């Protein structure tokens, strides 16, 4: 399906100007303050940065403290039940604050809000929440915000417009040297356990040239790490008038002059092409890291999960990557306790983990998501059994990660220095393979590339010393 690129942000100018004027009167302190709390994946973080961009245009500054804010927004995640429960708890805790400061606008957005039953529950149980909007409505945030503070009634907006890609929304990035760059939105895969296709809608790609010019401007502005984002970056380009693959896109970004690192997530094994691996192998800037979620090592469960690959195909890509990309770092997502998972299925997962040798894993216990096919599947495994499997998986991965890190001792790695670890006074940096390295050094190194000689491995964290290479 052809999607439409929409550049309609200028329609928001009037609401921005009006909201700006009103907030100068409504603010409680010297300037209007917003407290934005983002939960969940990087796509949500990127959405949060757009909302902050728009709030900045309305004259807002930002605070971490709900107590001093004039506007409080929780940007929510729906992937697991636990994340949702936390939101309900955190929102409930704001009731007293709203009583103390009645002019504060409390709002909720993100994936949770795209689910009708959740929006209804918020409407009924949390009358002090004045604005609720889903992932499809972000582009008209100034309009919704203005109506919430002037209309005298609560604004609830859930979108369903899956064909549009909205360009031109301002972004206020959280970091000064690491940037998220969305290349596409939504997901068409309908993995049977996953809520995302229902909350983020159909997959739609941004224009090749729009992405490229954003990447160029990030490099020109001194960003050292650009992470390309999409639920399934490997299927980038579907529905574009001019055909482009993800491999072509990342190659074009790699061709930009400058000293920077490109990361990307998430890859789906069914669409991960050898062409992409060849591009990574021959690139100047792309990290030697492939995050390739396999979810389960059992072919039977992969079918039930609607993943469209089997163990053999997964290993085929992994082995190709290992052969072509020197020291490639592989990471993955795994679900433990999918409905009907047997001990044998689980052992298949363990054996795949062992066979591949991942640098790190994101492991999740299956969480039932209302409205997804898996939610209807019989699930006789007890929580206790699932917990026990989960611990076995963690234990295995700890051993593998420790072995991998230990094998890096005495090597020299180029890293991007990210922050100061306040606890031990060391600088914290990341290798191209996304492994954390700590080393003593001056804070002025933060935001720069440096070489580190690895001296020690502490489980999955490396220690080292900065060296001139
Ligand atoms: N339960 C547990 N984990 C899930 N994920 C997605 N949906 C669920 C669910 N219902 C995990 C998958 C995915 C990651 C982002 O979250 O492993 O790759
Ligand atoms: Fe969810 Fe599967 Fe889409 Fe990932 S690819 S967002 S797991 S449906």
């Amino acid at each position: 399906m052809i999607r439409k690129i929409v550049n309609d942000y200028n329609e928001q100018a009037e609401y921005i100007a009006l909201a700006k004027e009103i907030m100068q009167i409504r603010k409680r302190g010297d300037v209007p303050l917003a407290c934005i709390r983002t939960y969940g994946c990087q796509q949500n973080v990127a959405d949060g940065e757009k909302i902050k961009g728009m709030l900045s245009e309305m004259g807002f500054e930002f605070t971490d403290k709900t107590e001093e804010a004039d506007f409080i927004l929780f940007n929510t995640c729906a992937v697991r039940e636990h994340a949702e429960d936390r939101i309900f708890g955190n929102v409930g805790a704001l009731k007293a604050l709203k009583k103390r400061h009645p002019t504060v606008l409390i709002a909720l957005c993100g994936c949770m809000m795209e689910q009708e039953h959740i929006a209804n529950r918020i409407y009924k149980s949390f009358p002090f929440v004045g604005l609720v909007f889903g992932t499809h409505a972000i582009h008209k945030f100034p309009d919704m915000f203005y109506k919430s503070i002037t209309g005298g009634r609560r604004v609830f907006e859930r979108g369903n417009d899956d064909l549009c890609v909205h360009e031109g929304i301002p972004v206020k990035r959280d970091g000064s040297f690491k940037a998220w760059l969305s290349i596409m939105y939504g997901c068409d895969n309908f993995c049977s356990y996953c809520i995302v296709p229902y909350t983020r809608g159909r997959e739609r790609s941004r224009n090749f040239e729009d992405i490229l010019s954003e990447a160029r401007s990030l490099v020109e502005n001194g960003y050292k790490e650009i992470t390309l984002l999409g639920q399934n970056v490997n299927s980038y380009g579907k529905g574009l008038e001019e055909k482009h693959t993800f491999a072509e896109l990342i190659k074009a970004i790699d061709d930009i002059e400058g000293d920077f690192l490109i990361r990307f997530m998430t890859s789906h094994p069914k669409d991960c092409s050898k062409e992409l691996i060849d591009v990574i192998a021959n690139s100047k800037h792309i990290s030697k890291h492939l995050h390739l979620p396999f979810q389960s090592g059992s072919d039977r469960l992969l079918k039930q999960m609607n993943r469209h690959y089997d163990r053999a195909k997964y290993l085929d890509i992994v082995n190709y990557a290992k052969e072509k990309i020197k020291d490639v770092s592989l990471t993955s997502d795994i679900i433990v306790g999918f409905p009907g998972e047997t001990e044998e299925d689980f052992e298949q997962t363990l054996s795949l983990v062992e066979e591949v040798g991942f640098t790190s894993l994101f492991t999740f216990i299956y969480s039932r998501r209302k409205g997804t096919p898996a939610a209807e599947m019989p699930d006789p495994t007890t929580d206790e059994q699932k917990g026990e499997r989960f611990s076995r998986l963690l234990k295995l991965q700890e051993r593998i990660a420790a072995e991998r890190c230990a094998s890096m001792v005495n090597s020299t790695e180029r890293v991007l220095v990210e922050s100061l670890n306040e606890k031990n006074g060391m600088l914290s940096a990341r290798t191209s393979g996304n492994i954390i390295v700590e080393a003593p050094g001056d804070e002025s190194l933060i935001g720069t590339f440096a070489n580190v000689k690895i001296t020690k491995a502490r489980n999955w964290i490396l220690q080292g010393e900065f060296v001139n290479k």
Side-chain angles (χ1 to χ4, degrees):
M1 214 178 307
I2 300 290
R3 88 280 169 269
K4 239 183 12 227
I5 302 292
V6 191
N7 245 312
D8 55 356
Y9 185 66
N10 50 356
E11 288 170 20
Q12 299 296 313
E14 187 188 342
Y15 299 110
I16 291 170
L18 290 168
K20 195 171 183 173
E21 244 174 69
I22 293 166
M23 285 316 301
Q24 284 308 316
I25 303 159
R26 252 178 100 115
K27 68 185 179 195
R28 290 188 291 134
D30 295 341
V31 283
L33 283 176
C35 174
I36 314 297
R37 297 245 165 102
T38 292
Y39 301 83
C41 69
Q42 283 73 18
Q43 200 75 60
N44 251 19
V45 176
D47 285 350
E49 291 183 340
K50 280 185 189 159
I51 295 167
K52 284 187 191 167
M54 294 184 263
L55 285 165
S56 291
E57 292 197 332
M58 295 179 205
F60 273 92
E61 289 184 13
F62 299 92
T63 173
D64 293 336
K65 300 187 189 91
T66 50
E67 189 56 43
E68 61 185 25
D70 299 292
F71 176 54
I72 300 170
L73 174 70
F74 289 168
N75 183 11
T76 66
C77 168
V79 170
R80 281 168 292 273
E81 194 176 5
H82 175 67
E84 292 192 343
D85 289 345
R86 245 174 74 203
I87 294 291
F88 283 122
N90 292 347
V91 176
L94 292 178
K95 187 175 174 182
L97 182 145
K98 176 73 180 173
K99 236 194 187 127
R100 280 195 302 281
H101 308 297
T103 57
V104 171
L105 174 62
I106 297 174
L108 295 168
C109 69
C111 281
M112 259 174 96
M113 301 308 132
E114 285 288 350
Q115 301 173 89
E116 198 174 355
H117 67 280
I118 300 272
N120 288 344
R121 181 167 161 194
I122 301 284
Y123 193 83
K124 286 199 197 101
S125 311
F126 301 94
F128 54 90
V129 173
L131 167 63
V132 165
F133 59 99
T135 56
H136 290 75
I138 288 176
H139 60 284
K140 48 184 181 184
F141 171 72
D143 175 356
M144 295 182 296
F145 180 89
Y146 171 72
K147 287 188 177 128
S148 309
I149 54 174
T150 58
R153 60 183 180 85
R154 305 164 77 196
V155 174
F156 277 60
E157 183 98 26
R158 283 193 308 120
N160 51 13
D161 182 0
D162 275 350
L163 292 178
C164 291
V165 170
H166 293 272
E167 292 291 347
I169 302 174
V171 178
K172 185 175 183 326
R173 298 189 193 275
D174 292 337
S176 57
F177 58 91
K178 285 170 65 150
W180 309 112
L181 203 180
S182 296
I183 64 166
M184 60 209 291
Y185 307 100
C187 180
D188 280 352
N189 290 308
F190 291 95
C191 300
S192 64
Y193 50 81
C194 186
I195 196 75
V196 170
Y198 308 90
T199 60
R200 289 201 168 263
R202 297 291 55 75
E203 181 182 299
R204 49 226 185 265
S205 294
R206 290 179 68 195
N207 269 351
F208 193 85
E209 277 308 324
D210 289 336
I211 299 169
L212 211 51
S213 72
E214 190 170 342
R216 275 194 210 103
S217 117
L218 287 169
V219 174
E220 274 162 22
N221 285 298
Y223 281 88
K224 297 292 179 223
E225 181 184 291
I226 300 172
T227 304
L228 309 179
L229 292 181
Q231 305 297 344
N232 174 9
V233 290
N234 307 94
S235 66
Y236 170 79
K238 262 199 291 174
L240 291 179
E241 290 100 77
E242 206 185 310
K243 280 277 153 251
H244 286 290
T245 63
F246 179 60
E248 285 166 15
L249 175 70
I250 202 165
K251 164 108 187 44
I253 298 174
D254 186 51
D255 286 341
I256 297 172
E257 289 289 323
D259 192 11
F260 64 99
L261 187 68
I262 307 168
R263 298 192 185 277
F264 58 97
M265 62 196 314
T266 294
S267 288
H268 194 307
K270 83 177 163 66
D271 298 312
C272 185
S273 67
K274 293 192 171 163
E275 182 197 1
L276 171 65
I277 290 168
D278 292 338
V279 169
I280 300 172
N282 299 315
S283 71
K284 288 193 292 283
H285 302 111
I286 308 175
S287 64
K288 309 298 180 227
H289 170 210
L290 198 54
H291 180 63
L292 202 58
F294 73 81
Q295 315 295 0
S296 167
S298 152
D299 284 347
R300 191 182 76 83
L301 285 195
L302 286 172
K303 259 215 175 78
Q304 305 257 309
M305 288 177 166
N306 195 32
R307 291 287 290 177
H308 296 283
Y309 57 85
D310 59 15
R311 188 186 170 95
K313 164 140 197 230
Y314 186 81
L315 283 169
D316 184 45
I317 311 166
V318 159
N319 290 333
Y320 189 77
K322 283 182 176 172
E323 180 194 321
K324 294 281 166 166
I325 309 168
K326 191 176 168 287
D327 293 329
V328 66
S329 166
L330 294 154
T331 57
S332 194
D333 294 349
I334 299 177
I335 296 177
V336 173
F338 181 80
E341 182 190 70
T342 62
E343 176 61 25
E344 275 142 36
D345 291 319
F346 177 65
E347 279 168 13
Q348 293 283 303
T349 295
L350 291 181
S351 86
L352 192 59
V353 168
E354 183 92 63
E355 186 163 350
V356 175
F358 294 96
T359 312
S360 61
L361 290 177
F362 295 90
T363 46
F364 309 101
I365 291 189
Y366 169 75
S367 171
R368 191 179 163 274
R369 304 287 60 212
K370 194 175 167 172
T372 62
E376 309 304 321
M377 295 178 187
D379 188 8
T381 318
T382 63
D383 287 351
E384 206 180 7
Q385 280 170 314
K386 291 184 184 184
E388 187 264 337
R389 286 179 193 163
F390 191 74
S391 314
R392 274 157 71 199
L393 175 60
L394 289 193
K395 212 158 162 205
L396 170 64
Q397 180 52 28
E398 259 173 37
R399 193 200 84 218
I400 293 170
E403 280 168 10
R404 185 181 164 103
C405 282
S407 76
M408 293 174 75
V409 172
N410 289 328
S411 66
T412 298
E413 292 278 329
R414 188 160 196 260
V415 297
L416 177 60
V417 185
E418 293 186 340
S419 58
L420 176 72
N421 180 341
E422 302 278 353
K423 282 196 196 123
N424 60 11
M426 303 262 244
L427 291 178
S428 179
R430 226 171 255 272
T431 67
S432 165
N434 214 25
I435 302 175
I436 296 174
V437 186
E438 290 190 338
D442 193 85
E443 268 185 77
S444 60
L445 286 174
I446 294 173
T448 66
F449 288 107
N451 292 310
V452 174
K453 173 145 194 240
I454 309 300
T455 52
K456 204 171 156 190
R458 274 191 294 123
N459 297 329
W460 54 90
I461 294 187
L462 298 169
Q463 267 177 21
E465 286 158 8
F466 289 107
V467 289
N468 297 319
K469 201 174 180 182

